[in-house]
Amino acid sequence: MSKSAHIAFIGLGQMGMPMALNLLKAGYDVVGFDLSSEALQALAERGGRIAASAVDAMSGSDVIITMLSNGKIVQSVLLEGDAFRQAPKSALLLEMSSSAPEETRSLAAKVSGHLRVVDAPVSGGVKRAVEGSLALMAGGSEADFEAAKPILGAMSAKIFHCGPVGTGHAMKAINNYVSGAGVIAAVEAVLLGRAFGLDEAKVVDVLNSSSGKNNATEVKMNQFILSGTFGSGFALGLMAKDIRTAANLSTSLGLSQPGLTQTADLWDDAARTLGGAVDHTRFYDYLKRQGD
């Protein structure tokens, strides 16, 4: 896809905004839409064009990128009134939201014949979105993936083609299950150590120098949890949703995976207890309450 491509970017939140800005830095023409007027103003101030609606953004765009909260919102934006048909025939849809793989395949079936679809969710958080160093998991045909690669490369340093449409979102859910399980293990380890009289920071230091090291111990415990900042930029409700997506996928495939089920149940309860809008590193507060 050449730099002359017109890109509609729908969803300029904490992750979407830096991703859209990286496309601008790479020389692409970006027209954005978001329900937040502040986000639209911020994009305009950085050289992007803004649209009055998602439909207006899609009109005439060679590429549509959706970075929204879930697949149901994506479907409502694209399908209501056949809005996706405002884009030229054979335009490329990059569905980068955290959606369920079954929803993605359903959406692709509904828009096929007019749009080419690649699901391409990301992992890495706000800092890596700003840096352009996200990990990106893509699902789609070889031809559509190759067409999308130059655009994805402006937002991500690590791009993995996982298979046909839907496999990107399946991989994202699987990844977040492992991430969420790692948070549970790290927080419980720190709370266990503290109860025995160990210094919490010392527990983290030893884990990070030993076989217990994981993403939570490396980039979350000291930086966001023990520091008390709780500012990773990823909401607890979104983590719970992604892990539940993995659990639902497992059930639909007839698998019995008690570890996944229990992890999903814990994150769902944490979201109910603390509220889904809080940072996911607040899971520490949830588990701490269980032991008090």
Side-chain angles (χ1 to χ4, degrees):
M1 190 68 64
S2 72
K3 293 291 179 67
S4 62
H6 298 290
I7 301 176
F9 202 109
I10 302 170
L12 301 168
Q14 284 187 301
M15 294 291 288
M17 178 63 79
M19 292 163 64
L21 294 179
N22 281 331
L23 287 169
L24 287 171
K25 289 176 188 175
Y28 287 103
D29 173 43
V30 177
V31 55
F33 176 72
D34 193 276
L35 294 177
S36 166
S37 58
E38 291 83 3
L40 293 176
Q41 181 180 348
L43 182 68
E45 289 173 352
R46 300 292 292 273
R49 296 186 293 119
I50 60 176
S53 67
V55 174
D56 287 343
M58 288 186 277
S59 181
S61 292
D62 306 300
V63 180
I64 301 166
I65 295 176
T66 48
M67 191 63 180
L68 300 166
S69 298
N70 57 62
K72 289 182 173 58
I73 296 174
V74 172
Q75 292 214 23
S76 69
V77 167
L78 292 171
L79 300 179
E80 189 171 335
D82 280 350
F84 70 92
R85 295 189 183 278
Q86 296 300 311
K89 191 174 176 62
S90 296
L92 191 62
L93 170 62
L94 304 184
E95 216 294 74
M96 305 188 77
S97 315
S98 290
S99 304
E102 300 93 337
E103 292 175 339
T104 302
R105 287 183 168 172
S106 172
L107 174 66
K110 291 171 183 174
V111 303
S112 66
H114 192 84
L115 299 180
R116 297 174 291 157
V117 180
V118 173
D119 55 308
V122 303
S123 179
V126 175
K127 182 175 181 290
R128 287 173 62 184
V130 172
E131 296 170 345
S133 60
L134 294 163
L136 190 152
M137 299 144 267
S141 71
E142 287 284 352
D144 292 344
F145 173 70
E146 287 300 320
K149 262 178 85 172
I151 296 168
L152 299 177
M155 299 178 283
S156 172
K158 299 177 182 178
I159 306 170
F160 300 91
H161 187 200
C162 298
V165 168
T167 56
H169 279 135
M171 189 66 240
K172 171 66 182 287
I174 292 167
N175 174 78
N176 278 13
Y177 157 50
V178 174
S179 176
V183 170
I184 294 173
V187 170
E188 287 188 337
V190 165
L191 292 175
L192 174 61
R194 188 182 72 165
F196 188 74
L198 288 164
D199 177 74
E200 291 178 320
K202 185 66 69 177
V203 172
V204 175
D205 288 344
V206 173
L207 289 172
N208 282 332
S209 298
S210 307
S211 59
K213 177 174 65 175
N214 67 18
N215 179 262
T217 65
E218 283 192 294
V219 302
K220 297 176 183 178
M221 289 303 304
N222 286 330
Q223 297 88 330
F224 303 120
I225 294 175
L226 298 187
S227 69
T229 58
F230 300 105
S232 75
F234 189 61
L236 194 153
L238 292 178
M239 177 68 91
K241 175 184 67 68
D242 287 349
I243 298 172
R244 180 55 63 188
T245 294
N248 290 341
L249 180 62
S250 174
T251 299
S252 73
L253 295 172
L255 302 177
S256 175
Q257 298 188 305
L260 172 52
T261 300
Q262 292 166 16
T263 300
D265 289 345
L266 273 174
W267 279 95
D268 281 347
D269 191 55
R272 286 190 295 269
T273 302
L274 301 179
V278 303
D279 195 88
H280 82 283
T281 54
R282 288 276 181 190
F283 193 83
Y284 175 85
D285 293 338
Y286 168 74
L287 283 186
K288 187 171 179 291
R289 289 183 188 183
Q290 311 304 308
D292 290 343

